[in-house]
Each structure stands twice: as C-alpha cells, then as structure tokens.
Amino acid sequence: MPAPTLASLYQRAMGPAFGRLAPALARFHSLSGRHRLRGKVVVEAPAGAMGRLLAWALGAPLRPVQGDIVFELDATPGAEVWTRCFPARTMRSTLRESGGRVVEHLGAARLGFVLDEQQGRLVMRLQHLHFLGIPCPAWLRPRVVAEETGRGDTLHFHVQATVPWVGRVVHYRGHLVVPATEGLPP
C-alpha cells in the first residue's frame, strides 16, 4: 500500500478553499520535490533611492526589465524554497506554513500572509511584517498586491509592494507554464 500523500504547504494553509483554485494554481501549489518552470515577466523599477535600497535588502529586482523568467521550486513537506531568476537578478525566499498562514523569509524581511480564494484566484493578504527582526507597525506596513490566476496550463502572477512615503519597492507580473498532472499527487 503506498504511503499517504502529505498535503502541500498551500493545501494546509488554505484548507478546503484550496480545492476551489483554478486547476493550474492547484497543480503548481501541489508540486513536491524540485521543479524548474519557465515563463515571461515584466518588472518595474523601484521608486527612488529608498525604494531601491529596500528592494536591494529584499533581493528584489532593481531595474525595469522584461523577458524570460526561470522559477526554481524546491518543495518539501516542511518548507518551499522559491528561486525567481529574473532577467537581471535572482530573488530567493523560503516559505513555511504556520497557524494557517504562509510565512515568507525574503532577504531582510519576514512576511506573514493569509491566503484567500476568490473565484478561482489566489490572493495573498499581508498580515504582519518583520524587517531586520523588528516588527513593522501597521501604519508603516507596505500595501502588497500578491495575486495568482490560472488559465489553461499557465499560472499568471502579479506582485507589487508599495511602502508609505517611499513608493514602489517591488512590482512584477507575468506567467509560468505549469507542468502536466502526470506524477503529481491527486
């Protein structure tokens, strides 16, 4: 008898709502092991010197580019390592599930997200942020857009972070081609 398949990080964090995600999103967030996905991306530059400094501290792209993106995923039951190879910079983060939330370690920041399904889309809502280990007060917390949609065999992503009095720190959008379901857990 085969060993039972462990739920993925996103399945655990979302519970039953995970089953309502678009098929491409559910396939992507069910992947385990190592995968390399390819797609296209458009990146906007951070706003001003402070925006560039914060982007640098996160490992985020520093200049506007568009082109190919390679996304490397290393997913285990305990954590996922996401390596985003933009045309001009590589950004790496580690994600873990904690209390029904996804916690992302990204450069000097630790971000806590609640995951919502909205008509098949995945919307990540920022709930808390620690920068250099210091909690960020709500009034200074960035406004974050982190959304995914699925169409056919592609995952479309849109990520933007804007900090009060600083402006845009991160903004990129694009898509990844998601592998077929063969060999993936049901």
Side-chain angles (χ1 to χ4, degrees):
M1 175 182 252
T5 303
L6 295 174
S8 73
L9 182 150
Y10 276 70
Q11 288 169 320
R12 293 191 312 271
M14 294 184 74
F18 185 86
R20 296 189 299 271
L21 290 176
L25 300 182
R27 282 198 326 265
F28 173 78
H29 289 294
S30 296
L31 292 171
S32 64
R34 291 178 179 227
H35 298 270
R36 178 175 282 189
L37 289 78
R38 297 181 186 282
K40 297 288 185 185
V41 68
V42 175
V43 177
E44 290 186 32
M50 184 58 80
R52 284 190 299 279
L53 180 63
L54 290 173
W56 175 82
L58 297 173
L62 299 173
R63 61 184 179 92
V65 294
Q66 62 181 359
D68 295 333
I69 184 170
V70 175
F71 182 94
E72 296 175 354
L73 171 68
D74 187 1
T76 66
E80 294 184 5
V81 177
W82 290 19
T83 305
R84 304 156 190 93
C85 302
F86 294 99
R89 188 165 171 100
T90 297
M91 183 170 75
R92 179 175 287 119
S93 63
T94 301
L95 296 87
R96 291 184 171 78
E97 185 271 333
S98 178
R101 293 187 174 142
V102 168
V103 177
E104 181 174 19
H105 292 262
L106 176 65
R110 187 176 77 228
L111 305 102
F113 292 97
V114 171
L115 308 180
D116 290 326
E117 176 275 334
Q118 296 177 4
Q119 299 178 329
R121 296 178 323 149
L122 174 62
V123 177
M124 300 176 66
R125 292 184 296 113
L126 182 65
Q127 294 293 299
H128 65 81
L129 167 70
H130 288 75
F131 190 77
L132 296 171
I134 301 167
C136 180
W139 60 269
L140 190 55
R141 191 175 305 143
R143 182 179 162 275
V144 173
V145 173
E147 299 177 344
E148 297 174 359
T149 58
R151 280 177 262 165
D153 64 349
T154 59
L155 177 154
H156 295 263
F157 54 85
H158 178 210
V159 177
Q160 181 173 353
T162 306
V163 175
W165 302 290
V166 172
R168 182 180 57 247
V169 174
V170 175
H171 189 197
Y172 60 90
R173 65 174 61 227
H175 73 272
L176 297 170
V177 177
V178 180
T181 58
E182 290 181 17
L184 296 180

